[in-house]
Amino acid sequence: MLKSLKIFISIVIPLIAAYIYYYITLPAVNIHSPGFWFFIIGALVVFCVVIGLIAANRSSSLYRGSVLKSKLFTVLSGITIIVVLIYIVGSILSSPMINAKKYQQMLKIKDSNFTEDIKEISLNKIPILDKDSAALLGSRKMGSIVEYVSQFEVGNNYTQINFKGIPTRVSPLQYGSFFKWISNRSEGIPAYMQIDMTTQEVNLMKLTKGIHYSESEYFGRNIHRYLRFNYPTYIFDTINFEINDEGIPYWICPVKDYTIGLFGGQTIGKVVMVNAITGETKDYSVSDVPKWVDRVFSAELLISLYDYYGTLRHGYWNSVISQKDALQTTDGYNYVALNDDVWVYTGVTSVARDESNVGFVLMNQRTAETRFYPVSGAEEYSAMASAEGQVQHLGYRATFPLLLNIGGEPSYFIALKDAAGLVKKYAMVNISQYQIVAIGDTVNECEKIYLELMKSNNIKVEDTSNLPQITGTITKIAEGVVDGNSHYYILLNSSNAIFDVEVVNFINIIKYNVGDTITFSYSEGTESNTVLGVK
């Protein structure tokens, strides 16, 4: 009876421990998953220890070597050693050191023309918020929602997407604690935060039915556990919170695919979409993912693939020793909205990091399409330092640059924030000549100064006369103040739109009155059109 109990314990205890470990860590049951190998090795080690202890207790004398006499212990130890060796050998054979050419060819690069691909955009469509600023605004908004603030918090996702053509960050609410989850789990999470990155408008989007599958759920409805038990063999990359064109929340869950050996050549093979409200799931190949989805390939994955392409041109050892023609991405990245997709932007520099770029790349987060632009100039942190130098007396800090086409010139757009994280000024820095730095209290003012600086430095600026124009009779003038600057809001008899004229840029506007005829060049906006020229 005692012997049977020991055998039962030797089997059941390791199985219980293995299940608890699996339930917490959720490794994919897939030979390409390192987590799965750690799980198997850990389970074998636990079995060996338990079997060894039982075998040792069969005799009071260790001299007799009763542990080693246990056949089961010997077999398990041998299997454990073999599994560890397979994992080590598999890791080496999957590495860039052995497969440099395969890694270098994983990403297809297309040389492109900057001015053709990246058109000038309206100034009121420039995303001026980074993730930290969005999180700050989201927290302030949440603090003002009395009905939710005691039970919920804003999640830290803040995924950047294009929502109906507008750069937007979205993040779900999350339960404030375990006990608040118990109180609210039946109704689910009632809303998500939506932030317009161009206007800084923050909206709490309430749902008719709550979100029941999220990262702040516990047990089976936790989105990671829900995915694992529905797709036990899938190896998921970072999942993202997005909304479709109707505002319905989804979890976009890319599935890793390993194309080189056991653990190498990571890319994305398919995507699982989970309705965050109902839990309904559906698989897609990457090419069939709905176009409203923006994030399939993470920025980190795309950047690592380009680094393989740039550093392994002449093999692995060249990337380590002589580094001839070796290129890599710069530290940091940002996002560019292009053709209703989100593209990762980062500079390309030599491995020696000489504070200058040989060009930059745009990488589509939905399709992995990658374009290289051979525009040499300042590395991003050099441009950030130049912008900060212009306002050093104020102590403002620069955000990572956004790439824009200003007057036909590749230019960095930088928001300057104070110690509280609030955007106070804006900077534009010429990539080719980063000593050309314009600072403005508004985006319009910054652009005007920047264009004049380029002209004075003999840089040919593209004619902006292709902007839409309108002529009409003034029917109404209203005055307002935005960020300390006077604005005239004007209505014309020839349009239903509101035209926003910043007085500091067009001082002659004060000469006009109701009944006068005027011509505006402008960029279109959602609530008003920004005037860029007055005749």
Side-chain angles (χ1 to χ4, degrees), residues 69-93:
K69 288 181 180 179
S70 169
K71 292 182 179 179
L72 182 57
F73 177 83
T74 303
V75 171
L76 286 176
S77 298
I79 293 174
T80 302
I81 293 172
I82 291 172
V83 171
V84 170
L85 289 175
I86 292 174
Y87 176 78
I88 293 173
V89 173
S91 299
I92 294 173
L93 294 179

Side-chain angles (χ1 to χ4, degrees), residues 286-306:
V286 172
S287 60
D288 294 331
V289 170
K291 292 189 180 300
W292 62 262
V293 174
D294 287 308
R295 297 172 70 104
V296 172
F297 293 82
S298 69
E300 292 76 13
L301 174 58
L302 291 171
I303 288 171
S304 69
L305 292 176
Y306 188 86

Side-chain angles (χ1 to χ4, degrees), residues 134-183:
L136 181 62
L137 293 177
S139 296
R140 289 184 175 181
K141 179 70 173 181
M142 191 65 198
S144 67
I145 309 297
V146 178
E147 61 181 309
Y148 294 147
V149 70
S150 65
Q151 298 297 309
F152 301 94
E153 302 170 352
V154 186
N156 195 40
N157 302 77
Y158 288 103
T159 308
Q160 180 169 335
I161 62 173
N162 275 356
F163 181 63
K164 297 182 179 179
I166 299 174
T168 304
R169 285 191 182 270
V170 290
S171 186
L173 301 190
Q174 62 184 23
Y175 300 104
S177 67
F178 177 75
F179 296 103
K180 293 174 182 178
W181 167 75
I182 292 177
S183 302

Side-chain angles (χ1 to χ4, degrees), residues 178-419:
F178 177 75
F179 296 103
K180 293 174 182 178
W181 167 75
I182 292 177
S183 302
N184 295 281
R185 68 178 301 272
S186 59
E187 292 80 18
I189 296 171
Y192 60 86
M193 200 68 73
Q194 180 175 324
I195 302 177
D196 187 320
M197 296 175 64
T198 62
T199 65
Q200 304 187 55
E201 181 181 358
V202 184
N203 290 306
L204 187 71
M205 308 303 292
K206 297 181 181 180
L207 298 163
T208 53
K209 293 183 179 180
I211 294 172
H212 286 84
Y213 298 86
S214 71
E215 293 180 305
S216 65
E217 284 282 350
Y218 293 85
F219 307 115
R221 285 190 349 203
N222 176 277
I223 185 61
H224 298 285
R225 193 163 290 112
Y226 183 73
L227 285 168
R228 175 54 60 233
F229 288 117
N230 278 277
Y231 299 93
T233 62
Y234 283 13
I235 308 171
F236 289 102
D237 198 7
T238 303
I239 67 174
N240 303 294
F241 181 82
E242 295 195 32
I243 57 176
N244 67 7
D245 292 336
E246 287 73 44
I248 299 173
Y250 280 84
W251 292 100
I252 309 303
C253 312
V255 181
K256 296 180 181 179
D257 185 21
Y258 292 88
T259 60
I260 303 174
L262 273 179
F263 311 116
Q266 178 189 328
T267 184
I268 301 300
K270 62 182 67 175
V271 177
V272 175
M273 290 175 51
V274 182
N275 186 309
I277 297 173
T278 66
E280 179 184 359
T281 65
K282 190 171 183 179
D283 286 28
Y284 292 91
S285 64
V286 172
S287 60
D288 294 331
V289 170
K291 292 189 180 300
W292 62 262
V293 174
D294 287 308
R295 297 172 70 104
V296 172
F297 293 82
S298 69
E300 292 76 13
L301 174 58
L302 291 171
I303 288 171
S304 69
L305 292 176
Y306 188 86
D307 284 340
Y308 288 137
Y309 170 83
T311 58
L312 299 175
R313 293 182 177 186
H314 301 300
Y316 175 79
W317 294 111
N318 176 75
S319 70
V320 176
I321 302 174
S322 64
Q323 298 180 333
K324 178 183 177 183
D325 299 329
L327 300 174
Q328 63 182 12
T329 55
T330 53
D331 294 328
Y333 57 86
N334 212 326
Y335 301 101
V336 174
L338 185 64
N339 301 328
D340 201 30
D341 280 327
V342 176
W343 297 64
V344 176
Y345 153 79
T346 187
V348 177
T349 186
S350 66
V351 172
R353 294 189 180 276
D354 54 4
E355 298 187 357
S356 63
N357 287 348
V358 298
F360 56 88
V361 288
L362 293 180
M363 297 172 279
N364 189 310
Q365 286 199 279
R366 183 170 59 86
T367 65
E369 178 186 352
T370 301
R371 303 174 184 177
F372 175 75
Y373 300 88
V375 179
S376 60
E379 179 261 347
E380 292 89 345
Y381 285 95
S382 297
M384 292 165 65
S386 293
E388 289 174 354
Q390 298 289 318
V391 291
Q392 57 184 337
H393 59 291
L394 298 172
Y396 295 162
R397 307 303 297 176
T399 59
F400 194 82
L402 181 68
L403 180 69
L404 295 179
N405 178 348
I406 305 294
E409 279 286 307
S411 306
Y412 291 131
F413 174 80
I414 300 170
L416 296 165
K417 301 194 292 186
D418 63 12

